[in-house]
Amino acid sequence: MEFAKEFIGQYGYFAIYGLLALGVIGMPIPDEVMMTFVGYLASISVLNYSVSIAVSFGGAFTGGLLSYTIGRKAGRPLFDKYGKWIGVNAKRFSRVETWFLKYGSWSIILGYFIPGIRHLMCCFSGMSRMAMGKYVIVSSIGAFAWCVVFISIGFYVGVLT
């Protein structure tokens, strides 16, 4: 976290965008903590609240789109080849895929709020061949709500202190 604070302090909005994009792809970056800190910085006028939300949304959406693309291009072959090593056989994968096709939109939106799950939901959207247009709409809703909630928490905590 110390690295993220220094990075944001030095590179500002570019750092927020990049760190969130990498975090949503799956890099070990504490996204929620970072966005709460961004909200705090907005509350003390170091950053602009609206710009912080827009930049955070852009980073989260970009990371989700990259994760979707990775899942679409390489996800299924990787699961077919290495899935047995983590307990995912063809029957289990098929069951999960059927469930995802039924509830996938809600899974993506709610998945943004669960660390670890957001990475899988974006990737699995591509693996299950969710239409790109549908993914873009649903992922946009989830990413925007996620950014607004966590940045607002940091902002209001900063205002109250």
Side-chain angles (χ1 to χ4, degrees), residues 26-43:
M27 298 298 287
I29 295 168
D31 301 326
E32 288 83 2
V33 174
M34 187 186 78
M35 285 195 301
T36 305
F37 178 66
V38 167
Y40 170 75
L41 291 176
S43 76

Side-chain angles (χ1 to χ4, degrees), residues 3 14 18-19 22 32 35 39-41 67-68 79 85-86 95 121-122 129 132 134 147:
F3 167 75
F14 293 112
L19 289 170
L22 291 173
E32 288 83 2
M35 285 195 301
Y40 170 75
L41 291 176
S67 188
Y68 170 89
F79 263 102
W85 299 105
I86 58 171
R95 255 189 301 160
M121 287 296 107
C122 295
R129 301 283 189 223
M132 173 72 88
K134 181 178 181 179
C147 292

Side-chain angles (χ1 to χ4, degrees), residues 13-29:
Y13 296 114
F14 293 112
I16 295 166
Y17 179 89
L19 289 170
L20 277 174
L22 291 173
V24 173
I25 290 173
M27 298 298 287
I29 295 168

Side-chain angles (χ1 to χ4, degrees), residues 111-143:
Y112 267 96
F113 291 88
I114 306 168
I117 299 297
R118 91 179 121 262
H119 320 299
L120 296 175
M121 287 296 107
C122 295
C123 190
F124 203 76
S125 299
M127 289 171 57
S128 66
R129 301 283 189 223
M130 178 182 272
M132 173 72 88
K134 181 178 181 179
Y135 174 77
V136 165
I137 291 168
V138 172
S139 181
S140 294
I141 293 167

Side-chain angles (χ1 to χ4, degrees), residues 43-106:
S43 76
I44 60 171
S45 299
V46 172
L47 298 172
N48 179 282
Y49 177 78
S50 299
V51 174
S52 295
I53 288 175
V55 169
S56 296
F57 166 74
F61 181 75
T62 300
L65 197 56
L66 288 171
S67 188
Y68 170 89
T69 304
I70 290 167
R72 189 163 183 110
K73 300 289 183 189
R76 188 63 189 247
L78 286 174
F79 263 102
D80 289 343
K81 188 172 183 178
Y82 299 108
K84 63 184 173 196
W85 299 105
I86 58 171
V88 180
N89 57 29
K91 183 179 177 184
R92 187 173 288 167
F93 187 86
S94 179
R95 255 189 301 160
V96 170
E97 190 171 39
T98 301
W99 179 87
F100 186 79
L101 291 173
K102 187 173 181 181
Y103 302 109
S105 297
W106 288 107

